[in-house]
Amino acid sequence: MNKENPIYYRPEWTCGRYNQIAHAAIYYNLITGVSYFFEEYSADVVGVFLSIPKNKRISLEVLSNATNISEKSLIPFANELCLLGLLAEKQIEKAEIADYRKACRRKYDENPLPIRAKVIDSHSEIDDAESLYEARVGGITNVMFELTYNCSEKCIHCYNIGASRNDQEENLRSKTGTLEISEYKRIIDELYDEGLTKVLLSGGDPFSYSDIWEIIDYLYSKDIAIDIFTNGMGILHKERLLAKYFPHRVCLSIYSGIDKDHDRITRVNGSLKKTMSALENLHELSIPMTIKCCIIKPNLKSYYTVTDIGKKYGIPVQYELNVSDSIEGDRCVSKYLRLSPEQLEIVLRDPNTVMYVGKDIEKYGETKIDMERNACKAGYHTFCVTPNGNLIPCCAFHLSFGNLQNQSVHEIISKSDLLKWWRNLKVNDYEECGKKKYCGFCNFCVGINYSEHGTPIKAAENNCYVAKIRYQLAQKIEKESYDPLKGMDLKSRLNQLQEISVGAIQREFSYKREQNVDK
């Protein structure tokens, strides 16, 4: 490096956003999967770096002139950014990118991440830096694109529109319309003008959408961070291609480390082997990952093996205990697949689950409810776009504010009365939520409220079911020293349970919400 006038380069694995008015910036190291929030003068400096094309250079002198900050003051900050992998002192060659990936992978292998990850928003994957940035800047920062409801798996618990429950039922996933690639590019441009920093590609499985790679390429060209929810089968043997776009995080769905248990949920023989092959290849490339696992009766006795997978590869695992019935009103998942009270109590004693209940955490896991705020953050700075273009709060909450095939993002955001109504809601406005003694133990998924009742403000039985059991378990542990594990470790207690067979389930509609869903 030139000591007289140091030169810095912006690595290919970085992206981010700078807001000059708010003097705020978010800067991503996409290989480590870590984002950083900057404000005031540090944000102004980062903003200059983000204005440089990837792998291009800027001198300290030019940086100083652009920010009106002395070169002497800039050097320590630039050096710190170099240590974080957000800046480089030389142009990075392809081989050096591979070396950096290997160094990051060694770091993960030597210091595995905690398996019980902190989850701020399970559908949008929003981290602390992103929360700070959106609070400072506002606008629309994170959006999920449900590119298609088609999928290479046929999960029996899937809540997407058209999902079948057995091989005799007709698969209706493809009946929902899909946006064209030109429409996606326009929508991405419009969202970028509203402040977009990150997109989560989902489905169905996003790799079942024909133009997925063109969308990934377009997002990368616009410096937008990319998260992906997938079963991994569609990227098998394409992991190196994906690595060229430096995804911020790939989240894989794994339901058990035992083939038969995982595959009977996905209804695709060999699906676990394929997903694990993709996971191993992604890990080798040091692509940040998480694992998602819904705990239902078919994987109850072996779900904990997913924790073992997470530990082996240093990948955080997010367990979901709140089962979601179908968006369109099929209630068979909660009827046949959700855990019984006895089974749920056992799982709630697993410290690797977010809903863990125990003496070793504050108030046994109860959280304080702010009655003067809404119960859900979706629909403020984060949204979801359905395959046919509806703008909704999140993938589990299909309250449509408008359709992007015939309206612009700005038009919907500025003119939708329904969106204004939603944003003005407080928990106090809900019919029951927040008003019962067990509400502090609730996951508060208003999407489940909406799927069950057609309104977000009426408490869903599915939400209350889990909340009541968590509350009662906390009471019993506190007053009676109750132990659902009966003195055993989790694995032994689960193995003690009788074998569970749910048989072939089928759609069961207590009502249909066609008028509210993806019109």
Side-chain angles (χ1 to χ4, degrees):
M1 188 173 79
N2 185 347
K3 300 297 183 183
E4 297 277 327
N5 183 20
I7 302 295
Y8 297 101
Y9 292 80
R10 183 183 157 203
E12 287 183 52
W13 59 75
T14 63
C15 74
R17 196 78 192 260
Y18 167 64
N19 186 290
Q20 185 176 11
I21 296 174
H23 292 279
I26 186 165
Y27 203 6
Y28 292 89
N29 180 327
L30 298 171
I31 288 181
T32 63
V34 179
S35 59
Y36 301 87
F37 171 70
F38 299 91
E39 55 188 342
E40 306 305 338
Y41 292 116
S42 65
D44 297 336
V45 175
V46 168
V48 176
F49 288 130
L50 285 170
S51 69
I52 308 166
K54 295 167 183 172
N55 219 15
K56 298 301 180 181
R57 55 183 275 174
I58 186 172
S59 70
L60 186 65
E61 180 182 4
V62 170
L63 180 62
S64 177
N65 291 335
T67 58
N68 291 319
I69 300 173
S70 71
E71 294 183 22
K72 183 178 179 181
S73 298
L74 285 170
I75 289 176
F77 183 59
N79 290 342
E80 184 179 351
L81 294 181
C82 289
L83 291 173
L84 296 173
L86 300 175
L87 210 58
E89 296 177 338
K90 60 185 287 295
Q91 194 169 41
I92 308 296
E93 304 295 333
K94 295 296 181 185
E96 293 173 300
I97 295 177
D99 290 340
Y100 184 56
R101 288 188 186 278
K102 290 177 183 177
C104 290
R105 189 175 71 251
R106 283 196 301 271
K107 182 179 178 182
Y108 298 152
D109 291 342
E110 293 167 2
N111 301 287
L113 294 170
I115 299 304
R116 189 183 178 199
K118 181 173 123 181
V119 180
I120 297 177
D121 186 320
S122 61
H123 294 297
S124 302
E125 298 292 317
I126 298 174
D127 62 27
D128 289 337
E130 290 169 338
S131 294
L132 290 168
Y133 179 79
E134 72 178 24
R136 180 77 174 249
V137 172
I140 301 175
T141 55
N142 285 262
V143 172
M144 175 188 285
F145 286 142
E146 291 185 303
L147 298 179
T148 176
Y149 289 138
N150 288 326
C151 186
S152 51
E153 292 181 336
K154 302 176 288 184
C155 295
I156 56 176
H157 65 291
C158 180
Y159 59 72
N160 278 336
I161 294 166
S164 64
R165 306 300 174 190
N166 59 64
D167 291 338
Q168 284 69 52
E169 286 183 341
E170 182 184 3
N171 183 347
L172 301 174
R173 290 172 180 268
S174 60
K175 299 298 183 181
T176 304
T178 55
L179 297 170
E180 300 292 334
I181 185 64
S182 59
E183 293 177 296
Y184 271 116
K185 289 182 177 179
R186 170 185 61 81
I187 293 167
I188 290 168
D189 290 343
E190 291 178 2
L191 288 168
Y192 190 84
D193 291 341
E194 298 291 333
L196 187 66
T197 62
K198 188 176 75 176
V199 162
L200 193 162
L201 301 177
S202 182
D205 189 86
F207 292 94
S208 295
Y209 180 73
S210 58
D211 293 316
I212 176 67
W213 293 103
E214 191 169 348
I215 288 178
I216 289 174
D217 183 77
Y218 194 67
L219 291 168
Y220 180 72
S221 72
K222 291 186 73 72
D223 242 9
I224 297 170
I226 305 167
D227 281 356
I228 300 172
F229 281 5
T230 177
N231 58 45
M233 295 201 293
I235 55 176
L236 190 58
H237 309 310
K238 299 176 183 176
E239 295 90 350
R240 290 193 178 277
L241 172 59
L242 183 62
K244 292 180 180 179
Y245 292 104
F246 302 99
H248 171 253
R249 191 165 302 278
V250 176
C251 183
L252 297 171
S253 297
I254 301 177
Y255 304 111
S256 173
I258 297 174
D259 292 70
K260 67 177 180 63
D261 289 351
H262 175 90
D263 293 358
R264 70 175 172 175
I265 289 176
T266 66
R267 291 193 288 137
V268 175
N269 291 334
S271 58
L272 178 60
K273 285 184 170 61
K274 291 180 180 179
T275 297
M276 286 302 302
S277 293
L279 181 149
E280 289 165 359
N281 293 338
L282 293 170
H283 175 71
E284 185 68 21
L285 292 165
S286 225
I287 292 176
M289 287 180 281
T290 57
I291 296 172
K292 282 188 178 291
C293 176
C294 181
I295 305 175
I296 50 181
K297 286 181 178 178
N299 67 341
L300 171 63
K301 296 190 69 170
S302 66
Y303 82 86
Y304 64 87
T305 56
V306 179
T307 299
D308 298 333
I309 294 172
K311 287 179 178 177
K312 179 179 179 179
Y313 295 97
I315 303 172
V317 178
Q318 296 176 2
Y319 288 110
E320 179 60 65
L321 300 182
N322 259 48
V323 299
S324 299
D325 280 314
S326 168
I327 297 297
E328 55 193 334
D330 172 13
R331 302 291 296 277
C332 71
V333 171
S334 62
K335 182 174 180 180
Y336 295 106
L337 298 179
R338 79 178 179 187
L339 305 184
S340 69
E342 177 194 13
Q343 294 164 347
L344 185 55
E345 281 190 345
I346 294 170
V347 175
L348 289 172
R349 291 293 294 144
D350 181 353
N352 294 313
T353 64
V354 175
M355 291 190 179
Y356 171 74
V357 176
K359 292 181 178 180
D360 52 326
I361 56 175
E362 187 176 359
K363 300 181 73 174
Y364 294 85
E366 183 180 11
T367 56
K368 183 176 175 58
I369 300 169
D370 187 346
M371 301 295 289
E372 295 303 314
R373 301 188 66 172
N374 208 336
C376 178
K377 295 180 180 179
Y380 294 84
H381 304 293
T382 67
F383 289 87
C384 175
V385 179
T386 66
N388 74 334
N390 279 350
L391 188 67
I392 61 178
C394 89
C395 60
F397 183 15
H398 277 239
L399 179 68
S400 179
F401 303 122
N403 189 280
L404 292 167
Q405 286 183 309
N406 47 50
Q407 294 173 277
S408 70
V409 172
H410 184 73
E411 183 180 4
I412 294 174
I413 297 301
S414 60
K415 295 183 179 180
S416 171
D417 290 334
L418 193 57
L419 177 58
K420 292 175 185 175
W421 170 81
W422 166 247
R423 286 178 165 178
N424 286 326
L425 276 180
K426 302 174 183 178
V427 178
N428 264 325
D429 300 319
Y430 285 48
E431 292 183 14
E432 295 180 88
C433 295
K435 301 173 178 68
K436 304 292 185 180
K437 57 187 177 182
Y438 51 79
C439 286
F441 289 90
C442 185
N443 189 44
F444 259 126
C445 179
V446 297
I448 294 179
N449 284 2
Y450 189 72
S451 293
E452 196 167 306
H453 298 297
T455 174
I457 65 174
K458 187 173 181 178
E461 189 272 340
N462 258 338
N463 283 332
C464 295
Y465 177 81
V466 177
K468 289 175 183 176
I469 293 172
R470 291 187 72 214
Y471 168 76
Q472 291 163 1
L473 177 58
Q475 294 285 304
K476 288 190 284 188
I477 291 174
E478 181 182 20
K479 296 176 181 177
E480 306 169 18
S481 297
Y482 174 71
D483 180 16
L485 300 180
K486 297 184 177 180
M488 292 177 267
D489 59 49
L490 178 70
K491 179 179 178 180
S492 299
R493 181 69 176 96
L494 291 173
N495 286 337
Q496 189 189 54
L497 297 176
Q498 292 183 345
E499 289 300 320
I500 300 167
S501 175
V502 296
I505 63 172
Q506 59 185 9
R507 296 186 183 104
E508 292 192 13
F509 291 95
S510 56
Y511 65 96
K512 274 210 165 190
R513 288 188 39 253
E514 293 176 350
Q515 74 279 8
N516 293 318
V517 179
D518 283 352
K519 291 292 286 183

